[in-house]
Structures are given as structure tokens and as C-alpha cells.
Amino acid sequence: MSHIQSKKIVYRDNSTDLEGILVFDASSKVAAPGLVMAPNWMGVTDASVSLAEKAVAQGYVVLIADLYGQGKRPSSAEEAGEIMMTVKNTPQEVGRMALAIDALKAQTDAPVIAEKIAAYGFCLGGHNVLELARSGADIKAAVSFHGGLDTCGQYDAKKIQGSVLVLDGSGDPLVPREQLPAFAQEMLSANVDWKLNSYKGAVHSFTDVNANVEGVAEYNADVSDRAFKAMFALLAEVF
């Protein structure tokens, strides 16, 4: 029987302390593939731990990355929007994701297979993992759930080393629809192994059980389940 636990992990970005959460099956002593999870704009929260537990139940070790810094936890959408823009499309976006990968490999509570690392994220976190992949990070896959598909333009998609999976709500008003064909062209031009699933009837934040802004950001249990199954199928393939 699995015994899922979570533990705070502190690591550093120069003089800034970062505090992620390691989520793992304490009953397993066998090294497993590792996943770095980039949370939505609210940062590291109990809700992000619940999402990480879905992957741990499938046999993975997950580190929820801290993109903001220890103690920087927005308490409202307004605060989240402000702090998000201090990270998105800056060097910290990729740099702190890369540091989370290092921290995942270095921790000793749950052994991971260093050669089997992937990243996934939600909303802002979806953008984070795509930029990480574009930067040439050594990851087997990058999976974005209802994340923006735009890029800062500092990276060449031809550097992407792993597979890319985008899980999109077809009615998402917060991810401009023109980003989809632009993203497809970017991936095709770079000859990347990629897939984009756009789910009918879904809007933004379809994996977030707390999302309840009608027509904008709403939880969709069926689409969430289908999207997670798509991610797990890809991970099984690449690992």
C-alpha cells in the first residue's frame, strides 16, 4: 500500500531561498522517475500538492517548484498577477525551474532516476515548463495544462530535447486562440516530438477544483481526468 507524504525542500537561487514541496511514496524504496511540477500563479499551495499526488500515485516522485521565493505566497488573484509578472518571461522563469530539477535529484528522501526527469505545469506553470523545454533542458517530456503558448523569444525550439504535450481547453479565453497555430508552426519548424490536445467544452483551469469563474476558469472533472491520462501515457512512453 502506498503512503504518500509531502515535505518542504529548501534550495537556493544565489541569495534567494526557494521552498518547494517534495511529494513521494514513503513506502517505496526503489528509485523512480522524477517530475518537477510548476504550479499555477498562486505558487506552492495545498492545492498544488493535491495535483502532485495524482502523479505520485502513478509511481513518480514530484518536486513542486518554487518560482517566487520562500515566503512569497500570494493571497489573492491580484497579488498573484503582480508577482507572476516578476517571473514570467524573465531569466528566473527557466533558471528556477532548472534549480528545482537539481534539487529533485539531490534530495535523499525519495530516490529518483537521474536520467528519467520530466516537467509539467498548470496555467503559469504550463508556460514555465514550455520555456524550460525551449531552453534545451535535459528533460524527457514537458507537459502543459491550460498554459500560455507564447514564448519570451530568448530560446530556439530546436533545442528541445524531449517530447512536448499541450493540454488545452478549446474554449479557454485566457490563452488566445491565435497562439495555437503559432505554437504548432513553432514545433513543426523545430521538428519536435509534440502533441496538442484541445478539449471541447473546457476553459481555463480545468484541473483546478477551486476554479469557478463561469466561462473563464472552471473545473471540469471529465477533461481533467482525460488530460492526466494523456500525460501518464506519454510519461510511460518516454520513460
Side-chain angles (χ1 to χ4, degrees), residues 138-167:
D138 184 14
I139 54 177
K140 298 298 183 184
V143 182
S144 169
F145 291 79
H146 41 81
L149 304 179
D150 58 309
T151 175
C152 68
Q154 297 177 23
Y155 310 110
D156 185 343
K158 292 180 180 178
K159 294 181 179 179
I160 293 175
Q161 297 191 45
S163 299
V164 173
L165 174 62
V166 169
L167 303 162

PDB file of all heavy atoms in Angstrom, residues 138-167:
ATOM      1  N   ASP A 138      17.615  19.182 -20.164  1.00  0.00           N
ATOM      2  CA  ASP A 138      17.697  17.734 -20.356  1.00  0.00           C
ATOM      3  C   ASP A 138      16.526  17.070 -19.633  1.00  0.00           C
ATOM      4  O   ASP A 138      16.664  16.525 -18.538  1.00  0.00           O
ATOM      5  CB  ASP A 138      19.027  17.217 -19.817  1.00  0.00           C
ATOM      6  CG  ASP A 138      19.211  15.726 -20.081  1.00  0.00           C
ATOM      7  OD1 ASP A 138      18.456  15.160 -20.892  1.00  0.00           O
ATOM      8  OD2 ASP A 138      20.114  15.126 -19.451  1.00  0.00           O
ATOM      9  N   ILE A 139      15.355  17.147 -20.254  1.00  0.00           N
ATOM     10  CA  ILE A 139      14.161  16.510 -19.709  1.00  0.00           C
ATOM     11  C   ILE A 139      13.539  15.638 -20.788  1.00  0.00           C
ATOM     12  O   ILE A 139      13.652  15.928 -21.976  1.00  0.00           O
ATOM     13  CB  ILE A 139      13.130  17.538 -19.192  1.00  0.00           C
ATOM     14  CG1 ILE A 139      12.780  18.566 -20.275  1.00  0.00           C
ATOM     15  CG2 ILE A 139      13.660  18.232 -17.947  1.00  0.00           C
ATOM     16  CD1 ILE A 139      11.710  19.568 -19.869  1.00  0.00           C
ATOM     17  N   LYS A 140      12.881  14.580 -20.345  1.00  0.00           N
ATOM     18  CA  LYS A 140      12.298  13.636 -21.297  1.00  0.00           C
ATOM     19  C   LYS A 140      10.977  14.125 -21.863  1.00  0.00           C
ATOM     20  O   LYS A 140      10.571  13.712 -22.955  1.00  0.00           O
ATOM     21  CB  LYS A 140      12.104  12.269 -20.636  1.00  0.00           C
ATOM     22  CG  LYS A 140      13.397  11.612 -20.172  1.00  0.00           C
ATOM     23  CD  LYS A 140      14.338  11.341 -21.330  1.00  0.00           C
ATOM     24  CE  LYS A 140      15.590  10.612 -20.857  1.00  0.00           C
ATOM     25  NZ  LYS A 140      16.567  10.423 -21.966  1.00  0.00           N
ATOM     26  N   ALA A 141      10.277  14.988 -21.107  1.00  0.00           N
ATOM     27  CA  ALA A 141       8.993  15.493 -21.582  1.00  0.00           C
ATOM     28  C   ALA A 141       8.664  16.785 -20.859  1.00  0.00           C
ATOM     29  O   ALA A 141       9.108  17.026 -19.735  1.00  0.00           O
ATOM     30  CB  ALA A 141       7.885  14.474 -21.351  1.00  0.00           C
ATOM     31  N   ALA A 142       7.873  17.617 -21.541  1.00  0.00           N
ATOM     32  CA  ALA A 142       7.323  18.840 -20.960  1.00  0.00           C
ATOM     33  C   ALA A 142       5.829  18.829 -21.235  1.00  0.00           C
ATOM     34  O   ALA A 142       5.412  18.722 -22.388  1.00  0.00           O
ATOM     35  CB  ALA A 142       7.971  20.074 -21.574  1.00  0.00           C
ATOM     36  N   VAL A 143       5.029  18.918 -20.170  1.00  0.00           N
ATOM     37  CA  VAL A 143       3.574  18.818 -20.307  1.00  0.00           C
ATOM     38  C   VAL A 143       2.931  20.068 -19.728  1.00  0.00           C
ATOM     39  O   VAL A 143       3.157  20.411 -18.564  1.00  0.00           O
ATOM     40  CB  VAL A 143       3.027  17.569 -19.597  1.00  0.00           C
ATOM     41  CG1 VAL A 143       1.514  17.461 -19.808  1.00  0.00           C
ATOM     42  CG2 VAL A 143       3.736  16.306 -20.093  1.00  0.00           C
ATOM     43  N   SER A 144       2.124  20.737 -20.546  1.00  0.00           N
ATOM     44  CA  SER A 144       1.453  21.965 -20.132  1.00  0.00           C
ATOM     45  C   SER A 144      -0.048  21.744 -20.040  1.00  0.00           C
ATOM     46  O   SER A 144      -0.681  21.342 -21.013  1.00  0.00           O
ATOM     47  CB  SER A 144       1.749  23.090 -21.133  1.00  0.00           C
ATOM     48  OG  SER A 144       0.917  24.212 -20.899  1.00  0.00           O
ATOM     49  N   PHE A 145      -0.612  22.022 -18.857  1.00  0.00           N
ATOM     50  CA  PHE A 145      -2.058  22.003 -18.661  1.00  0.00           C
ATOM     51  C   PHE A 145      -2.562  23.447 -18.673  1.00  0.00           C
ATOM     52  O   PHE A 145      -2.147  24.252 -17.848  1.00  0.00           O
ATOM     53  CB  PHE A 145      -2.421  21.389 -17.309  1.00  0.00           C
ATOM     54  CG  PHE A 145      -2.175  19.913 -17.171  1.00  0.00           C
ATOM     55  CD1 PHE A 145      -0.908  19.412 -16.930  1.00  0.00           C
ATOM     56  CD2 PHE A 145      -3.243  19.017 -17.232  1.00  0.00           C
ATOM     57  CE1 PHE A 145      -0.697  18.050 -16.756  1.00  0.00           C
ATOM     58  CE2 PHE A 145      -3.030  17.653 -17.068  1.00  0.00           C
ATOM     59  CZ  PHE A 145      -1.762  17.164 -16.832  1.00  0.00           C
ATOM     60  N   HIS A 146      -3.452  23.748 -19.599  1.00  0.00           N
ATOM     61  CA  HIS A 146      -4.056  25.072 -19.770  1.00  0.00           C
ATOM     62  C   HIS A 146      -3.067  26.224 -19.538  1.00  0.00           C
ATOM     63  O   HIS A 146      -3.339  27.180 -18.811  1.00  0.00           O
ATOM     64  CB  HIS A 146      -5.325  25.238 -18.912  1.00  0.00           C
ATOM     65  CG  HIS A 146      -5.242  24.671 -17.513  1.00  0.00           C
ATOM     66  ND1 HIS A 146      -4.650  25.328 -16.469  1.00  0.00           N
ATOM     67  CD2 HIS A 146      -5.714  23.513 -16.982  1.00  0.00           C
ATOM     68  CE1 HIS A 146      -4.752  24.612 -15.364  1.00  0.00           C
ATOM     69  NE2 HIS A 146      -5.397  23.497 -15.663  1.00  0.00           N
ATOM     70  N   GLY A 147      -1.900  26.101 -20.164  1.00  0.00           N
ATOM     71  CA  GLY A 147      -0.872  27.132 -20.044  1.00  0.00           C
ATOM     72  C   GLY A 147      -0.748  27.953 -21.311  1.00  0.00           C
ATOM     73  O   GLY A 147      -1.143  27.519 -22.393  1.00  0.00           O
ATOM     74  N   GLY A 148      -0.186  29.150 -21.167  1.00  0.00           N
ATOM     75  CA  GLY A 148       0.054  30.000 -22.326  1.00  0.00           C
ATOM     76  C   GLY A 148       1.108  29.407 -23.240  1.00  0.00           C
ATOM     77  O   GLY A 148       2.070  28.777 -22.792  1.00  0.00           O
ATOM     78  N   LEU A 149       0.932  29.614 -24.529  1.00  0.00           N
ATOM     79  CA  LEU A 149       1.826  29.014 -25.527  1.00  0.00           C
ATOM     80  C   LEU A 149       2.806  30.008 -26.115  1.00  0.00           C
ATOM     81  O   LEU A 149       3.603  29.669 -26.988  1.00  0.00           O
ATOM     82  CB  LEU A 149       0.995  28.373 -26.644  1.00  0.00           C
ATOM     83  CG  LEU A 149      -0.030  27.340 -26.171  1.00  0.00           C
ATOM     84  CD1 LEU A 149      -0.814  26.789 -27.358  1.00  0.00           C
ATOM     85  CD2 LEU A 149       0.639  26.212 -25.401  1.00  0.00           C
ATOM     86  N   ASP A 150       2.747  31.251 -25.655  1.00  0.00           N
ATOM     87  CA  ASP A 150       3.673  32.267 -26.144  1.00  0.00           C
ATOM     88  C   ASP A 150       5.062  32.011 -25.559  1.00  0.00           C
ATOM     89  O   ASP A 150       5.233  31.248 -24.612  1.00  0.00           O
ATOM     90  CB  ASP A 150       3.190  33.656 -25.743  1.00  0.00           C
ATOM     91  CG  ASP A 150       3.027  33.795 -24.233  1.00  0.00           C
ATOM     92  OD1 ASP A 150       2.359  32.936 -23.637  1.00  0.00           O
ATOM     93  OD2 ASP A 150       3.577  34.744 -23.651  1.00  0.00           O
ATOM     94  N   THR A 151       6.046  32.651 -26.131  1.00  0.00           N
ATOM     95  CA  THR A 151       7.422  32.490 -25.671  1.00  0.00           C
ATOM     96  C   THR A 151       8.095  33.844 -25.543  1.00  0.00           C
ATOM     97  O   THR A 151       7.732  34.797 -26.237  1.00  0.00           O
ATOM     98  CB  THR A 151       8.223  31.598 -26.636  1.00  0.00           C
ATOM     99  OG1 THR A 151       9.601  31.550 -26.207  1.00  0.00           O
ATOM    100  CG2 THR A 151       8.166  32.123 -28.063  1.00  0.00           C
ATOM    101  N   CYS A 152       9.071  33.930 -24.643  1.00  0.00           N
ATOM    102  CA  CYS A 152       9.817  35.176 -24.496  1.00  0.00           C
ATOM    103  C   CYS A 152      10.687  35.442 -25.711  1.00  0.00           C
ATOM    104  O   CYS A 152      11.161  36.552 -25.912  1.00  0.00           O
ATOM    105  CB  CYS A 152      10.678  35.130 -23.233  1.00  0.00           C
ATOM    106  SG  CYS A 152      12.038  33.952 -23.308  1.00  0.00           S
ATOM    107  N   GLY A 153      10.930  34.417 -26.517  1.00  0.00           N
ATOM    108  CA  GLY A 153      11.735  34.587 -27.727  1.00  0.00           C
ATOM    109  C   GLY A 153      13.226  34.472 -27.503  1.00  0.00           C
ATOM    110  O   GLY A 153      14.007  34.627 -28.440  1.00  0.00           O
ATOM    111  N   GLN A 154      13.639  34.162 -26.263  1.00  0.00           N
ATOM    112  CA  GLN A 154      15.064  34.047 -25.961  1.00  0.00           C
ATOM    113  C   GLN A 154      15.614  32.664 -26.305  1.00  0.00           C
ATOM    114  O   GLN A 154      16.821  32.456 -26.274  1.00  0.00           O
ATOM    115  CB  GLN A 154      15.316  34.343 -24.485  1.00  0.00           C
ATOM    116  CG  GLN A 154      14.953  35.752 -24.065  1.00  0.00           C
ATOM    117  CD  GLN A 154      15.152  35.971 -22.566  1.00  0.00           C
ATOM    118  OE1 GLN A 154      15.924  35.275 -21.912  1.00  0.00           O
ATOM    119  NE2 GLN A 154      14.433  36.931 -22.012  1.00  0.00           N
ATOM    120  N   TYR A 155      14.715  31.736 -26.624  1.00  0.00           N
ATOM    121  CA  TYR A 155      15.137  30.355 -26.846  1.00  0.00           C
ATOM    122  C   TYR A 155      14.728  29.869 -28.227  1.00  0.00           C
ATOM    123  O   TYR A 155      13.752  30.333 -28.799  1.00  0.00           O
ATOM    124  CB  TYR A 155      14.515  29.440 -25.781  1.00  0.00           C
ATOM    125  CG  TYR A 155      14.704  29.949 -24.383  1.00  0.00           C
ATOM    126  CD1 TYR A 155      13.622  30.433 -23.649  1.00  0.00           C
ATOM    127  CD2 TYR A 155      15.964  29.972 -23.789  1.00  0.00           C
ATOM    128  CE1 TYR A 155      13.792  30.914 -22.357  1.00  0.00           C
ATOM    129  CE2 TYR A 155      16.148  30.464 -22.513  1.00  0.00           C
ATOM    130  CZ  TYR A 155      15.059  30.938 -21.796  1.00  0.00           C
ATOM    131  OH  TYR A 155      15.236  31.414 -20.533  1.00  0.00           O
ATOM    132  N   ASP A 156      15.495  28.920 -28.734  1.00  0.00           N
ATOM    133  CA  ASP A 156      15.219  28.311 -30.030  1.00  0.00           C
ATOM    134  C   ASP A 156      14.587  26.939 -29.786  1.00  0.00           C
ATOM    135  O   ASP A 156      15.190  26.076 -29.151  1.00  0.00           O
ATOM    136  CB  ASP A 156      16.528  28.165 -30.814  1.00  0.00           C
ATOM    137  CG  ASP A 156      16.321  27.662 -32.226  1.00  0.00           C
ATOM    138  OD1 ASP A 156      15.239  27.120 -32.517  1.00  0.00           O
ATOM    139  OD2 ASP A 156      17.248  27.804 -33.036  1.00  0.00           O
ATOM    140  N   ALA A 157      13.370  26.753 -30.269  1.00  0.00           N
ATOM    141  CA  ALA A 157      12.671  25.493 -30.039  1.00  0.00           C
ATOM    142  C   ALA A 157      13.444  24.290 -30.569  1.00  0.00           C
ATOM    143  O   ALA A 157      13.190  23.161 -30.151  1.00  0.00           O
ATOM    144  CB  ALA A 157      11.285  25.545 -30.667  1.00  0.00           C
ATOM    145  N   LYS A 158      14.386  24.524 -31.462  1.00  0.00           N
ATOM    146  CA  LYS A 158      15.192  23.420 -31.971  1.00  0.00           C
ATOM    147  C   LYS A 158      16.062  22.793 -30.883  1.00  0.00           C
ATOM    148  O   LYS A 158      16.593  21.701 -31.065  1.00  0.00           O
ATOM    149  CB  LYS A 158      16.059  23.896 -33.127  1.00  0.00           C
ATOM    150  CG  LYS A 158      15.260  24.265 -34.372  1.00  0.00           C
ATOM    151  CD  LYS A 158      16.152  24.729 -35.512  1.00  0.00           C
ATOM    152  CE  LYS A 158      15.303  25.091 -36.731  1.00  0.00           C
ATOM    153  NZ  LYS A 158      16.141  25.592 -37.858  1.00  0.00           N
ATOM    154  N   LYS A 159      16.193  23.478 -29.746  1.00  0.00           N
ATOM    155  CA  LYS A 159      16.970  22.942 -28.629  1.00  0.00           C
ATOM    156  C   LYS A 159      16.161  21.959 -27.765  1.00  0.00           C
ATOM    157  O   LYS A 159      16.715  21.335 -26.871  1.00  0.00           O
ATOM    158  CB  LYS A 159      17.488  24.082 -27.755  1.00  0.00           C
ATOM    159  CG  LYS A 159      18.502  24.994 -28.442  1.00  0.00           C
ATOM    160  CD  LYS A 159      18.981  26.078 -27.479  1.00  0.00           C
ATOM    161  CE  LYS A 159      20.004  26.986 -28.139  1.00  0.00           C
ATOM    162  NZ  LYS A 159      20.452  28.067 -27.222  1.00  0.00           N
ATOM    163  N   ILE A 160      14.862  21.859 -28.019  1.00  0.00           N
ATOM    164  CA  ILE A 160      14.026  20.971 -27.213  1.00  0.00           C
ATOM    165  C   ILE A 160      14.515  19.531 -27.347  1.00  0.00           C
ATOM    166  O   ILE A 160      14.663  19.023 -28.453  1.00  0.00           O
ATOM    167  CB  ILE A 160      12.551  21.083 -27.634  1.00  0.00           C
ATOM    168  CG1 ILE A 160      12.016  22.484 -27.278  1.00  0.00           C
ATOM    169  CG2 ILE A 160      11.710  20.011 -26.938  1.00  0.00           C
ATOM    170  CD1 ILE A 160      10.603  22.736 -27.756  1.00  0.00           C
ATOM    171  N   GLN A 161      14.751  18.890 -26.209  1.00  0.00           N
ATOM    172  CA  GLN A 161      15.314  17.542 -26.228  1.00  0.00           C
ATOM    173  C   GLN A 161      14.265  16.444 -26.055  1.00  0.00           C
ATOM    174  O   GLN A 161      14.474  15.313 -26.512  1.00  0.00           O
ATOM    175  CB  GLN A 161      16.365  17.397 -25.113  1.00  0.00           C
ATOM    176  CG  GLN A 161      17.557  18.325 -25.275  1.00  0.00           C
ATOM    177  CD  GLN A 161      18.675  17.956 -24.330  1.00  0.00           C
ATOM    178  OE1 GLN A 161      19.028  16.771 -24.178  1.00  0.00           O
ATOM    179  NE2 GLN A 161      19.260  18.941 -23.678  1.00  0.00           N
ATOM    180  N   GLY A 162      13.182  16.752 -25.371  1.00  0.00           N
ATOM    181  CA  GLY A 162      12.189  15.728 -25.086  1.00  0.00           C
ATOM    182  C   GLY A 162      10.889  15.954 -25.828  1.00  0.00           C
ATOM    183  O   GLY A 162      10.780  16.813 -26.698  1.00  0.00           O
ATOM    184  N   SER A 163       9.888  15.162 -25.477  1.00  0.00           N
ATOM    185  CA  SER A 163       8.565  15.290 -26.076  1.00  0.00           C
ATOM    186  C   SER A 163       7.801  16.429 -25.415  1.00  0.00           C
ATOM    187  O   SER A 163       8.032  16.761 -24.258  1.00  0.00           O
ATOM    188  CB  SER A 163       7.788  13.982 -25.907  1.00  0.00           C
ATOM    189  OG  SER A 163       8.452  12.908 -26.546  1.00  0.00           O
ATOM    190  N   VAL A 164       6.874  17.010 -26.168  1.00  0.00           N
ATOM    191  CA  VAL A 164       6.063  18.123 -25.681  1.00  0.00           C
ATOM    192  C   VAL A 164       4.591  17.749 -25.822  1.00  0.00           C
ATOM    193  O   VAL A 164       4.159  17.287 -26.879  1.00  0.00           O
ATOM    194  CB  VAL A 164       6.356  19.419 -26.459  1.00  0.00           C
ATOM    195  CG1 VAL A 164       5.379  20.518 -26.061  1.00  0.00           C
ATOM    196  CG2 VAL A 164       7.797  19.873 -26.219  1.00  0.00           C
ATOM    197  N   LEU A 165       3.836  17.946 -24.748  1.00  0.00           N
ATOM    198  CA  LEU A 165       2.405  17.694 -24.762  1.00  0.00           C
ATOM    199  C   LEU A 165       1.683  18.904 -24.192  1.00  0.00           C
ATOM    200  O   LEU A 165       1.942  19.311 -23.062  1.00  0.00           O
ATOM    201  CB  LEU A 165       2.067  16.449 -23.936  1.00  0.00           C
ATOM    202  CG  LEU A 165       0.577  16.134 -23.734  1.00  0.00           C
ATOM    203  CD1 LEU A 165      -0.118  15.875 -25.065  1.00  0.00           C
ATOM    204  CD2 LEU A 165       0.408  14.956 -22.783  1.00  0.00           C
ATOM    205  N   VAL A 166       0.777  19.481 -24.978  1.00  0.00           N
ATOM    206  CA  VAL A 166      -0.028  20.615 -24.541  1.00  0.00           C
ATOM    207  C   VAL A 166      -1.472  20.154 -24.382  1.00  0.00           C
ATOM    208  O   VAL A 166      -2.060  19.583 -25.306  1.00  0.00           O
ATOM    209  CB  VAL A 166       0.061  21.779 -25.545  1.00  0.00           C
ATOM    210  CG1 VAL A 166      -0.977  22.851 -25.239  1.00  0.00           C
ATOM    211  CG2 VAL A 166       1.462  22.378 -25.520  1.00  0.00           C
ATOM    212  N   LEU A 167      -2.039  20.413 -23.211  1.00  0.00           N
ATOM    213  CA  LEU A 167      -3.401  20.014 -22.872  1.00  0.00           C
ATOM    214  C   LEU A 167      -4.206  21.292 -22.678  1.00  0.00           C
ATOM    215  O   LEU A 167      -4.043  22.007 -21.682  1.00  0.00           O
ATOM    216  CB  LEU A 167      -3.380  19.141 -21.619  1.00  0.00           C
ATOM    217  CG  LEU A 167      -2.477  17.901 -21.778  1.00  0.00           C
ATOM    218  CD1 LEU A 167      -2.121  17.298 -20.438  1.00  0.00           C
ATOM    219  CD2 LEU A 167      -3.139  16.865 -22.679  1.00  0.00           C
TER     220      LEU A 167
END
